Amino acid sequence: MIKIVVDAFGGDNAPNEVVSGVVSAINSNEKLHIILTGKEEVLMEVLSGYKYNDSQISIIDAREVISNNESATEAIRQKKDSSLVKALDCAKEDDEVVGIISAGSTGAVLTGAFMKLGRMKGVLRPALCPIIPTAQGTITSICDCGANVDCKPEYLHQFAIMGNAYLKVLGVKNPRVALLNVGTEDHKGDVRSKETFELLKNSSSKINFVGNMEARDLLSGDYDLVVTDGFAGNVLLKSTEGAIKNLLTIMKNEIKASFFSKIGALFMKKTFKNIKKGFDYSNHGGAVLLGCKKLVVKSHGSSTAKNFLTCINQVVTMAEGKLVENISKSLEKVEMSNE
Amino acid sequence: MIKIVVDAFGGDNAPNEVVSGVVSAINSNEKLHIILTGKEEVLMEVLSGYKYNDSQISIIDAREVISNNESATEAIRQKKDSSLVKALDCAKEDDEVVGIISAGSTGAVLTGAFMKLGRMKGVLRPALCPIIPTAQGTITSICDCGANVDCKPEYLHQFAIMGNAYLKVLGVKNPRVALLNVGTEDHKGDVRSKETFELLKNSSSKINFVGNMEARDLLSGDYDLVVTDGFAGNVLLKSTEGAIKNLLTIMKNEIKASFFSKIGALFMKKTFKNIKKGFDYSNHGGAVLLGCKKLVVKSHGSSTAKNFLTCINQVVTMAEGKLVENISKSLEKVEMSNE
């Protein structure tokens, strides 16, 4: 059995889309047991609309919801009866639970995971690691993409080791690990980048470090893991999202503006669909917080049933691939070789 | 008269495109005098193909060229007879020269400008400031986009003041100045961002500080100047370039893959052209190095005649707008109010 707890009241489409995704997940995998946290009577009501094996779902009642516009730390401390805090408590206390999924406030999910679940032994800082589709149809990842804005080179060294273990579990063979920098030459960058480069180059971990990567190559498909501090990683991820969004908007406007373009757009409908689909991050699951004692997946705030299903399968893959154990082994090896 | 020195052997298309751009510039502005640096006999040969008033062009012979793959500092020190070093020496020694344009190695241009021209009084660090077209058809700028990878909050405060003066000279009224950060809330970010936020919020300079900006909003058109350290600024600029480039590549491939898309693409040819043109940075001139004693414009390595013409007009605008004087005044005011 694989037991996962899902914050049923996190995200814009909760609880309906959450429940719908959870039901599809258990109906396609009889080994799954999902614990939902949230208003019990509401969840019962929504569940009554579905056919499923009710031994695979249990509910923990939670009366409160944490919103995006409240202080994460205070919310976790004070809203003890919220769907997120209840989910975190369950993940902490129930040894059988392998991980937690929430589409709630990123800040609250991260802070809550730090406070409630805690770091794995030896982990300096847990890091947030999203999956991004590339122009080659492959995936790439950024570690850290925003959990730690003030970083030391030793943190980034661990981000590389944890991200590497994650990508291996996802099936990427010998991931090409790069360091985000302002140029590709070995000695480029700020003080932190230069120190991190040396750590990665001389790392006793068996990561396949391929050197520095410029931000323009994120989507090239030439790199599997981009190691960076959470500030630059956040800029890298969000500027990429923003550029694509804005370019598509400009296209729409240009198309609207011209009669011939409108005709053209009709012919290209499928093409545009493919492109949008290709760049839809949510198809690739949520961002994983690496380095916590249990698996933590932050799903997009606007997640649909399909996205929740993907996230559940993502947790299953990580659990079956023994990600937490692998990370702890990899870090121990480096620890020992440093002593 | 406005005297500008142009590195005629910098960039991929030198010297032909440089000369062609210079000739169109002087033929459209009789106040201009351009000094070209590079192999005299070659430049004479190329110039012989054009009609122009030869009192508006002079040549300084330079036998060497600095390439992209040599160490900037060494190149500037050792290649004293290079087109770039000769241009910098000319800008330094000739009081009438208002600025220099080069499409050569960015590293060499920046290092050379620091070493040869030097900083304006009171400037802690000169900053590189490109112009970027937005989804609204307006322009926005990033200061710094890569000249300084290790920054202190005081540097960023000056970047805001210098960038603000630059945009005003370009005709942007009361520029909306934002700080690049991981979130829009006032207290977001790393230690440096938090300190910089306070400096900008309480700045005695009259900048219109509108708060934090997330990377995804660079192209939104809601901000005129994005203040950041050179590392994050470089990531912001390059990831935006890369995302657009990759998205257009994916489209091309998708279009090639489908018969109907091919037809559609024919109808949309003009639309695609407009989009490409809209996002062509070079239409908006080169990146300006703010804070040097003379105007310094780094033109794209692949600059065409049209781009060089744009850069020359850009220098004219900055010279007529008294940018150097304005920056120095703005910085002095802040200096005094700090004492």
Side-chain angles (χ1 to χ4, degrees), chain A residues 182 190 214 238-239 261 271, chain B residues 150 182 214 238-239 261 271:
Chain A
V182 295
D190 55 350
E214 285 190 285
K238 286 181 180 167
S239 51
S261 299
T271 306
Chain B
D150 291 295
V182 294
E214 284 190 285
K238 286 182 181 167
S239 50
S261 299
T271 305

Side-chain angles (χ1 to χ4, degrees), chain B residues 3-7 34-37 86-87 90-91 97 99-101:
Chain B
K3 215 171 180 184
I4 301 168
V5 57
V6 178
D7 171 4
I34 304 288
I35 304 167
L36 296 168
T37 60
K86 282 285 184 85
C90 166
V97 170
I100 171 174
I101 296 167

Side-chain angles (χ1 to χ4, degrees), chain B residues 173-246:
Chain B
K173 289 190 176 49
N174 196 26
R176 295 157 298 177
V177 179
L179 176 65
L180 179 64
N181 209 330
V182 294
T184 53
E185 302 87 343
D186 287 8
H187 300 296
K188 279 273 177 181
D190 55 350
V191 172
R192 177 172 54 206
S193 302
K194 288 171 181 169
E195 287 177 24
T196 307
F197 186 95
E198 290 308 313
L199 282 178
L200 295 174
K201 199 177 130 204
N202 306 315
S203 176
S204 58
S205 68
K206 291 192 176 52
I207 53 167
N208 171 20
F209 179 56
V210 296
N212 290 323
M213 182 200 88
E214 284 190 285
R216 68 164 63 92
D217 295 322
L218 173 67
L219 303 180
S220 67
D222 298 338
Y223 307 92
D224 302 307
L225 179 69
V226 183
V227 175
T228 174
D229 66 282
F231 192 95
N234 186 274
V235 169
L236 178 63
L237 180 66
K238 286 182 181 167
S239 50
T240 302
E241 286 177 333
I244 292 169
K245 188 172 151 290
N246 278 287

Side-chain angles (χ1 to χ4, degrees), chain B residues 17 36 76 102 128 148 157 164 172 192 196 227 238 252 262 278 321 337:
Chain B
E17 293 292 313
L36 296 168
I76 296 296
S102 175
L128 196 60
N148 312 279
H157 182 204
N164 183 62
V172 181
R192 177 172 54 206
T196 307
V227 175
K238 286 182 181 167
K252 270 193 201 131
K262 277 189 200 139
S337 69

Side-chain angles (χ1 to χ4, degrees), chain B residues 111-125:
Chain B
T111 313
F114 297 153
M115 290 166 64
K116 297 284 185 176
L117 303 178
R119 289 176 270 163
M120 289 166 48
K121 183 171 168 302
V123 169
L124 298 166
R125 294 285 185 283

Side-chain angles (χ1 to χ4, degrees), chain B residues 129-140:
Chain B
C129 204
I131 291 293
I132 301 152
T134 74
Q136 286 181 29
T138 57
I139 58 166
T140 187

Side-chain angles (χ1 to χ4, degrees), chain A residues 68 134-136 146 149-150 180-183 185 189-194 214-220 228-236 238-251 253-255 258 260-265 267-268 270-272 274-275 279, chain B residues 68 134-136 146 149-150 180-183 185 189-194 214-220 228-236 238-251 253-255 258 260-265 267-268 270-272 274-275 279:
Chain A
N68 279 322
T134 74
Q136 286 180 29
V149 288
D150 290 294
L180 179 63
N181 209 329
V182 295
E185 302 86 344
D190 55 350
V191 172
R192 177 171 55 208
S193 302
K194 288 172 181 169
E214 285 190 285
R216 68 164 62 92
D217 294 323
L218 173 67
L219 303 178
S220 66
T228 174
D229 66 282
F231 192 95
N234 186 274
V235 170
L236 179 64
K238 286 181 180 167
S239 51
T240 302
E241 286 177 333
I244 292 169
K245 188 171 151 290
N246 278 288
L247 187 57
L248 292 174
T249 312
I250 290 165
M251 280 191 177
N253 299 340
E254 284 281 344
I255 288 167
S258 140
F260 286 110
S261 299
K262 277 189 201 139
I263 300 174
F267 283 100
M268 294 182 71
K270 196 163 159 296
T271 306
F272 284 133
N274 291 343
I275 290 162
F279 267 113
Chain B
N68 280 321
T134 74
Q136 286 181 29
V149 287
D150 291 295
L180 179 64
N181 209 330
V182 294
E185 302 87 343
D190 55 350
V191 172
R192 177 172 54 206
S193 302
K194 288 171 181 169
E214 284 190 285
R216 68 164 63 92
D217 295 322
L218 173 67
L219 303 180
S220 67
T228 174
D229 66 282
F231 192 95
N234 186 274
V235 169
L236 178 63
K238 286 182 181 167
S239 50
T240 302
E241 286 177 333
I244 292 169
K245 188 172 151 290
N246 278 287
L247 188 57
L248 293 174
T249 312
I250 289 164
M251 282 193 175
N253 299 341
E254 284 282 343
I255 288 166
S258 139
F260 286 110
S261 299
K262 277 189 200 139
I263 300 174
F267 283 100
M268 293 181 71
K270 195 163 161 299
T271 305
F272 285 133
N274 291 343
I275 291 161
F279 268 112

